[in-house]
Each structure stands twice: as C-alpha cells, then as structure tokens.
Amino acid sequence: MVYKIRVILDAKETIFRDIEIKDKQTLWNLHLGIKSAFSLPGEELSSFYFSDDEWNEGRAVPLEDMSDDGDGEIMSDIYLNEGFPEVGAKMRFQYGFIDLWEFFCELLEINDEKPAVNYPITVYRFGNVPLKAPSKNGAASGKNKSSAMPLLDDDFGDFDADFKETSFDDDDDFDDEEEEDTGYNDVFEEDDED
C-alpha cells in the first residue's frame, strides 16, 4: 500500500507538499522525501513527533540515537504504518537546529502501489519554499526572529560602556625581575638503578 501524506510548512503563507510513500518504508524514508520535496539544505539533525489531533507533540523519534545507553528508537526503526496507523493520523517533523524548519504531516489517503515508481515521491506542490526557515511569527529567519544566542541580546547591558578601560597593566602585581620560580624549567635527572 502507498500512503499519501500532506506535509505543511509552518509558515505565514500556505506551503505544502503531498508525498507518496510505501507503508513498509520508514520515517527515515519520509525524512528523505521531505528534504527533497522542500529542498532543505545540508544534513541537519531532525525528529518526528507523534501528535494528537491538535498537533501537540508526543514521543520524539530522532534521526540519530542520542540516548546515553545507545538503544533509543530512531527514524529507521519506525515503519510508516506505525507512525500513521490510520487516515487522519498526524505527526510533526522538525529539521535543523539553529534554523529550525517545522512541518505538520497528515496521512490523507491510502492507495495501491503503482509499478515502476521509486517511492517516496512528491506528487503535488503548493507554494514557494523560502530560502531560510520561517520564524514562529511567519517571517524568514533573521531580523524578526529572536536570537538563538542569548548572550548577544540586550539582557546584559552595554559591554563597551561597562569596560571602557583599555589597559589592564595594573592587574598583575609582580614585576618580571621578581617573578617567583614556578618550577617550569626544572631539570630532572634519571636515577641509575643497579
């Protein structure tokens, strides 16, 4: 059987792709289909999340095992018919780390497999994919997106105003002539054992 899954980009504009994939393929195959359908850059970390009807995130299924003991469930362990047990079943998909692409995936219908088709395949495209991941407010990453690096935000005030002094010579209280012997240049002789 072939699953037709609608993958909707979380963006201000309506942008989605319909992907057909065999029910015996895995979430890893769907991950590759989504990357191809949306022309996602690079080899970023990604995860699927089981979801309820309201798109609330449930159990995560990552691309790679990040568990301490190394026996966590990954995308290649979950078949499509397990991730999408019935028409209307939903999962969320996140791609990337700093530039986070978020998608909503829903099983639309189940059809018979067509011969000589290499699944997964994108069967319908709607909307143009932005060059950068959209932020939560719908703008492309950048100006309107909150910073991923909190140390650069204004929470800490003006660094230059706090540290106007350009010379820190007074911080060291010892002169070169009076430096203590630190023992770094000690020469050790090996004992001859008879």
Side-chain angles (χ1 to χ4, degrees):
M1 302 305 290
V2 171
Y3 282 20
K4 185 177 191 177
I5 297 175
R6 176 155 294 166
V7 182
I8 305 165
L9 177 62
D10 187 6
K12 189 175 181 180
E13 304 83 25
T14 302
I15 302 166
F16 67 87
R17 305 289 185 260
D18 290 346
I19 298 173
E20 288 187 350
I21 185 167
K22 293 184 205 176
D23 64 336
K24 295 296 182 188
Q25 288 181 297
T26 64
L27 291 178
W28 180 78
N29 298 108
L30 181 57
H31 152 83
L32 294 177
I34 293 170
K35 276 187 63 178
S36 174
F38 287 89
S39 302
L40 297 176
E43 295 294 323
E44 301 289 332
L45 292 176
S46 57
S47 290
F48 280 96
Y49 296 88
F50 286 91
S51 298
D52 59 16
D53 288 338
E54 313 299 306
W55 297 106
N56 295 311
E57 287 183 10
R59 186 180 84 214
V61 182
L63 177 63
E64 297 177 14
D65 186 7
M66 302 294 204
S67 65
D68 291 336
D69 51 7
D71 63 353
E73 196 171 53
I74 58 174
M75 288 182 197
S76 58
D77 295 334
I78 307 292
Y79 291 99
L80 263 288
N81 57 8
E82 296 171 315
F84 297 91
E86 61 191 10
V87 172
K90 300 175 179 178
M91 293 191 88
R92 293 183 66 163
F93 177 68
Q94 294 181 346
Y95 181 81
F97 182 68
I98 294 183
D99 287 330
L100 183 64
W101 297 81
E102 297 188 81
F103 301 90
F104 302 100
C105 307
E106 181 177 2
L107 176 58
L108 296 180
E109 56 189 55
I110 301 173
N111 300 313
D112 291 328
E113 185 177 340
K114 297 172 188 149
V117 174
N118 189 16
Y119 294 101
I121 185 171
T122 305
V123 295
Y124 186 75
R125 298 173 189 273
F126 185 88
N128 295 321
V129 179
L131 295 176
K132 293 185 177 183
S135 67
K136 282 296 186 183
N137 63 11
S141 316
K143 295 178 185 171
N144 295 333
K145 191 171 184 178
S146 62
S147 173
M149 300 181 70
L151 293 178
L152 298 179
D153 288 340
D154 291 333
D155 296 342
F156 296 100
D158 186 3
F159 182 82
D160 291 334
D162 292 342
F163 297 97
K164 286 187 184 215
E165 186 175 336
T166 57
S167 172
F168 295 97
D169 292 338
D170 295 335
D171 289 350
D172 296 331
D173 290 336
F174 46 99
D175 297 346
D176 288 341
E177 292 120 14
E178 297 178 13
E179 256 185 55
E180 293 180 22
D181 185 52
T182 58
Y184 292 128
N185 294 324
D186 290 348
V187 177
F188 295 99
E189 295 180 14
E190 294 183 14
D191 293 335
D192 290 337
E193 292 183 20
D194 293 26

